[in-house]
Amino acid sequence: MDLLTIARRVKSETGRGGGGPLSVTSAVDNDLRIVNAVRDAWLDVQAEPYNWRWMRKNVAAGPLVAAQIAYTDAQLGLTAGAVASWWPESAQYRPTAYDAALSSQQWALVFMDFERFRQQFQVGTHTAGAPQFWSVDDAGRLLIGPMPDATVSYRVNIDYRQAPTALTADGDEPDMPERFHRLLIWKALMDAATHDASQEHYVRARDRHEDIFNALIADQGEQITFGHRPLA
């Protein structure tokens, strides 16, 4: 469902008169409040403390630049601000590096906390070589060490959590699986019911929201554990 469809469904569920906004760009008063509630609901869902599967993306970045350690999103071939955080290492996942001429032969990179990485690779000098370690600096830049040997075209294959997206236009759709789009209806209806002081609508919306949200967690999420903090 797109933003306009969701907003119109919320308006219908409130029991208020009228058929809802004709467009989110022309909505005013109560209709605008509903549209904004849907927009906020989507941002809130994305900010929940779960590694949502639909927000996990991958980039094969490179070639790495000789004598360069830190990389912005744009330098990795991504849109500036696209990365909310770099996906944390786990027993099942590590970013990898490879020689572009031998892409089938990849090796895992090891996460190193920023202060240790800085001391080893950003203070003084070190010998260039194949990438072995990764970290994230205070500005959210991806750090790869040691600096690459200029004679080899190295690339890095790494996952990241995309930055939250916003619903702006009528046809904008949440990029989580469509079967969970109704979550935004009930979450926005909770906001509308609070504004209307409607306990009946609020309780109904809360219960429906809870059912769908639990299903979303089971299907798309996992609780984040912080063994270390490779977060931008």
Side-chain angles (χ1 to χ4, degrees), residues 61-65 68 70-78 141-142:
L64 301 182
V65 179
Q68 184 170 335
Y71 295 86
T72 65
D73 296 356
Q75 290 170 328
L76 296 170
L78 300 169
R141 295 180 302 175
L142 180 67

Side-chain angles (χ1 to χ4, degrees), residues 3-4 6-8 10-12 14 16-39 192 195:
L3 174 58
L4 182 60
I6 295 171
R8 292 175 68 88
V10 175
K11 177 68 175 293
S12 174
T14 65
R16 297 170 179 171
L22 297 177
S23 171
V24 299
T25 57
S26 61
V28 296
D29 300 329
N30 285 333
D31 284 352
L32 179 58
R33 185 176 292 111
I34 287 173
V35 169
N36 286 337
V38 174
R39 288 168 169 159
H195 182 267

